[in-house]
Amino acid sequence: MISHAQLGWQCLSPDIESLVLLLNEAGIPAKAQNTLEGPAKVVAIDSGFWGKAAAVAAANRVRWCAVWGEHRPQEISILAALAGRDGHLLLQTLVSDRQGELPSQTPFFPAANRPERYLQDMFGIHFFDHPDQRRWIRHQAWQEGQYPLLKTFPPAGTPLDMTPPDCRYPFIPVEGDGVHEIPVGPVHAGIIEPGHFRFQAMGEDILSLEEHLGYVHKGIEKCAEGRDVWGLARLAGRVSGDSTVAHAWAACQACEAAVGISLPRRALVIRAILAERERIANHLGDIGACCNDVGFTFAQVQCSRLRELWQRQNSAVFGHRLLMDIVVPGGVNRDLNARRIDLLQKAIEQLRHELQDFLPLLYEYPSLQDRLRATGVLSLKKARSLGVLGFLARASGECWDLRRDAPYAPYEDMVITVPHTLEGDASGRLRIRGDEILVSLDLLEEMLKKLPAGDVMAEFPSVQRDCSGIGFVEGWRGEILAYVHLDVGGIVSRYFPRDPSWLNWPALEAMIEGVIVPDFPLCNKSVNGSYSGHDL
Amino acid sequence: MFDVLAKIFKTGCLTGKVPPPDQTVIEFGTVCRKEIVRIFGKSLAIRMVDAGSCNGCELEIHALNNGFYDIERFGIHFVASPRHADLLLVTGPVARHMQAALKRTYEATPDPKLVIAMGDCGADGGEFGVSYASCGAVANVIPVDAVIRGCPPSPLQLLQGITELLRRR
């Protein structure tokens, strides 16, 4: 008998065809669309059914992935991505570009809360029954009533010389004797991205935490418009620098699907090698940093040593310590030869050897585990309701992994082990990272051994017609989704990258009850949401 | 605990020498305040500010503290507050939502102080340029004494750049 934990909740979810039938049965006509290329089915539904469709999905164990918009004067096309057992279903609808209204999906999927408010700020769409009507991504750089992702809004905007600080965001206070409000950020004490955290605390106990993000909003989506696909890949690689390979891969997948080219197998395997190396580097860094946040500097020193060796190998083999700009439309711009493969294989053996004693030492070290165990517990129920992704989800028992559940080349013929646990605490999140490193080392070894011969690049054709595509990649933080719309001539008219941090950030707020203030840095690092990937 | 000690002894000392840069890795501002550099020559407190980066630069700054680069051997250390800082290391294009925070951090840093803009984004806005959401180069918001280009600059380039700034007489 295969347990639910082994297969994950997604085995109980309907497959995509059944989900469409369920929608029809609930009285929601869903018309199949074939305008979007890529591994997802698209159905168009009437805007009045937007909320009801979410209700049907939520009642049937479907995972909510993303929502985004695209301005097509005089309408805005909205797409919402859902995940079933065997892949993704996209719901698509249209609203007017002047005061367009939609029912909210948030009452059924809490994960939709901030993405819908983001749409509100960027497109002016009003989700009339959204439980939280506050602005989200808009601070003071543009005014209420201005919507940057409308085609009528100029990329330069109309900013002031000095954008005022955002002092008036209405945080939700907790009232009572002895309750303190602690504001932290946006500039943080360490070497870290900026964001604001508003704690309501009584003594050391945190009563509630509210995040206020958006400080590194750079207008990536607006900036993408007008680029060619190579410029898009460069930009995608900088949505979140630590996920440069995964984001560039997802964007390239979307472009390649849009124009309908397939890549040589060798190119795909090298992309996967890059992605697994990126996964390992980040997990090594995180394990060290989490331990450092509880004062166990020995682990930080060892992990930063291992990460440094890993990055130096990246530089020696691929020419960039963080592997930026290697995944490009059509393939990769760096090939492997016998010497480089040998270097990579030795690196795998060396790291495996190092971790053999190191990881068990961490898992058993009493004073370290005393801080990590039972800290920042994210229950399975909360993880599921928030739709969290990646290692964060697996550490709470939700084990979605695109490489296994909706595989994209070259993972479709590999057996992917997905480590998971029900612990849900900082210790579990550390252990899952360690396990994922070992799984990735096995995958790398397999891929290097079976690296097919051939080219590493397919020619990217000139784009003859308007086309759009979608790409999905299991980045180190979790599922990444990229939507690209190309005009005739191959110019980007819309790029939407959905970093997994969109769904993981709320988990930090959910796990914080009962945590003491000094344990916050550990909780934050054990989740490690991307600020830049979130803010765009 | 003995496992830990054994590992520490086995790892040994990894710190590498810092070779002089092959070419100028750091562009100096037109006004290089030599007196300030002389004062900071023996010890430097750095406050790092991410004004909008993709986080790539931060990863390489973290590496400065690892055993290979060991920036602390030069008397250089990172501090938690701008009030304790001699130098601001600023990454990223300045997102407009961070403009005020960056300015306040700069003003909170006591004189004499230096500012390094790190990375291509810090130098000229990089891939993000100037837009409704981005002010572009760090120099567009606060005075900058030196720029270290790269995407991201490697820890070695950072180390060379910072120590070169301090060696200038």
Side-chain angles (χ1 to χ4, degrees):
Chain A
M1 154 107 173
I2 303 172
S3 73
H4 121 85
Q6 275 178 282
L7 287 178
W9 185 41
Q10 72 275 16
C11 75
L12 302 169
S13 308
D15 58 76
I16 294 306
E17 292 304 330
S18 304
L19 179 54
V20 178
L21 287 171
L22 285 165
L23 290 172
N24 287 329
E25 277 162 30
I28 304 170
K31 186 159 173 268
Q33 304 288 294
N34 59 3
T35 47
L36 178 66
E37 301 297 334
K41 189 178 169 72
V42 187
V43 291
I45 65 174
D46 188 87
S47 62
F49 290 126
W50 195 248
K52 193 171 173 195
V56 170
N60 284 282
R61 300 191 187 92
V62 168
R63 175 169 66 85
W64 190 93
C65 305
V67 71
W68 67 99
E70 186 173 1
H71 188 203
R72 297 177 178 168
Q74 282 74 51
E75 286 175 317
I76 301 173
S77 163
I78 317 280
L79 281 147
L82 304 168
R85 183 169 68 226
D86 59 347
H88 296 85
L89 177 71
L90 269 47
L91 303 173
Q92 192 252 336
T93 194
L94 292 168
V95 295
S96 160
D97 64 1
R98 285 169 196 279
Q99 278 102 47
E101 287 207 331
L102 263 187
S104 168
Q105 298 188 327
T106 303
F108 312 103
F109 291 110
N113 186 319
R114 292 168 184 176
E116 284 183 345
R117 286 156 69 195
Y118 184 87
L119 277 182
Q120 204 142 285
D121 288 342
M122 300 298 277
F123 286 96
I125 298 161
H126 182 221
F127 291 92
F128 54 82
D129 56 346
H130 194 294
D132 189 341
Q133 293 290 338
R134 294 176 298 175
R135 57 188 169 83
W136 177 242
I137 203 77
R138 175 173 63 83
H139 291 196
Q140 301 295 325
W142 65 95
Q143 301 312 308
E144 193 171 359
Q146 290 184 306
Y147 306 110
L149 282 178
L150 292 181
K151 299 286 184 191
T152 41
F153 185 93
T158 50
L160 299 169
D161 281 341
M162 178 65 195
T163 301
D166 195 25
C167 304
R168 297 207 190 290
Y169 184 76
F171 291 99
I172 300 165
V174 171
E175 300 194 352
D177 272 349
V179 177
H180 290 94
E181 194 167 319
I182 311 175
V184 177
V187 181
H188 294 310
I191 298 161
I192 187 78
E193 301 179 82
H196 189 89
F197 300 104
R198 191 60 66 98
F199 296 90
Q200 311 289 335
M202 196 146 69
E204 282 206 324
D205 293 324
I206 301 173
L207 300 172
S208 86
L209 162 68
E210 233 192 299
E211 296 156 357
H212 184 214
L213 303 174
Y215 284 91
V216 287
H217 175 74
K218 296 183 276 292
I220 287 177
E221 295 165 279
K222 196 78 175 177
C223 186
E225 293 175 19
R227 290 183 177 233
D228 60 25
V229 296
W230 292 274
L232 179 67
R234 275 198 321 274
L235 182 67
R238 286 154 180 84
V239 166
S240 182
D242 55 24
S243 306
T244 184
V245 170
H247 267 288
W249 191 353
C252 288
Q253 258 190 25
C255 293
E256 287 146 8
V259 300
I261 59 165
S262 55
L263 266 51
R265 190 82 187 167
R266 189 179 176 89
L268 293 163
V269 177
I270 293 179
R271 281 184 175 179
I273 289 170
L274 294 166
E276 297 307 321
R277 285 195 64 90
E278 177 170 82
R279 194 183 321 275
I280 290 172
N282 282 291
H283 283 340
L284 283 172
D286 274 3
I287 292 172
C290 285
C291 293
N292 193 50
D293 279 343
V294 296
F296 194 56
T297 45
F298 163 74
Q300 163 74 320
V301 171
Q302 290 301 325
C303 284
S304 64
R305 173 177 71 87
L306 295 172
R307 191 194 156 113
E308 178 64 26
L309 290 170
W310 200 252
Q311 288 191 233
R312 289 184 176 190
Q313 291 147 12
N314 284 346
S315 183
V317 173
F318 294 105
H320 195 290
R321 285 168 55 93
L322 297 181
L323 305 174
M324 278 185 172
D325 301 328
I326 300 169
V327 176
V328 292
V332 291
N333 62 16
R334 192 91 169 191
D335 201 352
L336 293 176
N337 55 26
R339 190 186 66 81
R340 288 172 182 167
I341 292 172
D342 188 55
L343 216 155
L344 291 177
Q345 280 168 334
K346 289 210 167 66
I348 294 166
E349 284 159 26
Q350 182 190 31
L351 184 59
R352 214 187 257 134
H353 176 74
E354 289 265 8
L355 294 177
Q356 200 178 319
D357 294 327
F358 180 66
L359 287 178
L361 191 155
L362 294 186
Y363 299 157
E364 301 303 318
Y365 208 81
S367 55
L368 172 65
Q369 290 300 325
D370 186 46
R371 291 293 299 277
L372 298 182
R373 295 237 171 103
T375 303
V377 177
L378 182 71
S379 69
L380 174 57
K381 188 166 171 214
K382 279 192 186 158
R384 186 167 290 162
S385 107
L386 292 172
V388 301
L389 299 167
F391 61 83
L392 180 63
R394 293 173 206 133
S396 292
E398 269 282 79
C399 50
W400 297 89
D401 190 319
L402 286 180
R403 296 171 295 169
R404 180 196 61 189
D405 303 325
Y408 46 100
Y411 294 104
E412 75 279 33
D413 62 357
M414 291 191 232
V415 175
I416 311 287
T417 310
V418 183
H420 56 276
T421 178
L422 285 165
E423 289 166 41
D425 56 12
S427 176
R429 289 189 279 278
L430 195 132
R431 188 185 301 263
I432 293 300
R433 284 171 160 104
D435 289 347
E436 288 194 11
I437 294 175
L438 298 174
V439 169
S440 286
L441 286 170
D442 287 345
L443 291 174
L444 278 172
E445 198 169 52
E446 189 187 331
M447 290 189 283
L448 285 167
K449 227 183 276 184
K450 300 196 295 194
L451 186 65
D455 294 322
V456 294
M457 186 80 94
E459 195 187 316
F460 201 87
S462 64
V463 179
Q464 303 298 331
R465 55 179 181 84
D466 197 274
C467 55
S468 52
I470 194 156
F472 293 92
V473 167
E474 185 75 23
W476 76 269
R477 278 194 181 92
E479 172 194 79
I480 292 176
L481 178 164
Y483 168 80
V484 175
H485 184 172
L486 301 173
D487 282 343
V488 174
I491 298 303
V492 176
S493 68
R494 180 75 172 108
Y495 167 56
F496 173 68
R498 204 281 276 117
D499 189 275
S501 306
W502 267 110
L503 290 109
N504 286 358
W505 270 114
L508 182 59
E509 293 183 355
M511 73 174 56
I512 214 73
E513 208 184 305
V515 174
I516 54 173
V517 174
D519 276 344
F520 171 72
L522 167 66
C523 288
N524 194 9
K525 195 64 194 180
S526 77
V527 172
N528 197 1
S530 170
Y531 298 78
S532 179
H534 170 280
D535 291 353
L536 297 180
Chain B
M1 160 132 144
F2 291 112
D3 291 342
V4 170
L5 290 173
K7 185 73 179 178
I8 293 171
F9 283 119
K10 195 168 155 219
T11 305
C13 181
L14 304 163
T15 314
K17 279 201 166 66
V18 179
D22 289 329
Q23 67 246 356
T24 312
V25 296
I26 182 167
E27 298 159 18
F28 292 98
T30 49
V31 178
C32 183
R33 293 168 278 181
K34 293 178 182 171
E35 274 302 296
I36 296 166
V37 166
R38 187 179 65 79
I39 291 163
F40 292 152
K42 294 275 194 305
S43 138
L44 189 78
I46 303 181
R47 176 69 263 234
M48 185 261 144
V49 183
D50 177 344
S53 89
C54 72
N55 201 35
C57 283
E58 277 69 39
L59 292 173
E60 298 294 64
I61 298 173
H62 275 298
L64 282 176
N65 290 309
N66 74 30
F68 294 90
Y69 303 106
D70 189 18
I71 196 170
E72 297 204 354
R73 66 184 144 135
F74 298 108
I76 302 172
H77 57 289
F78 286 86
V79 291
S81 169
R83 296 259 189 243
H84 306 163
D86 306 315
L87 181 138
L88 287 182
L89 181 59
V90 187
T91 62
V94 182
R96 292 196 188 273
H97 289 165
M98 274 300 287
Q99 190 183 10
L102 177 61
K103 267 199 102 75
R104 284 188 181 179
T105 308
Y106 176 79
E107 282 153 14
T109 312
D111 285 318
K113 60 194 173 202
L114 293 167
V115 175
I116 293 181
M118 177 180 168
D120 290 345
C121 289
D124 59 22
E127 289 291 328
F128 310 101
V130 176
S131 72
Y132 78 93
S134 164
C135 303
V138 176
N140 291 345
V141 180
I142 55 174
V144 167
D145 295 287
V147 171
I148 305 179
R149 284 189 167 272
C151 189
S154 70
L156 188 60
Q157 288 172 323
L158 271 175
L159 208 46
Q160 288 170 331
I162 294 171
T163 52
E164 200 177 306
L165 177 63
L166 296 181
R167 268 198 291 270
R168 254 171 101 91
R169 293 282 181 265

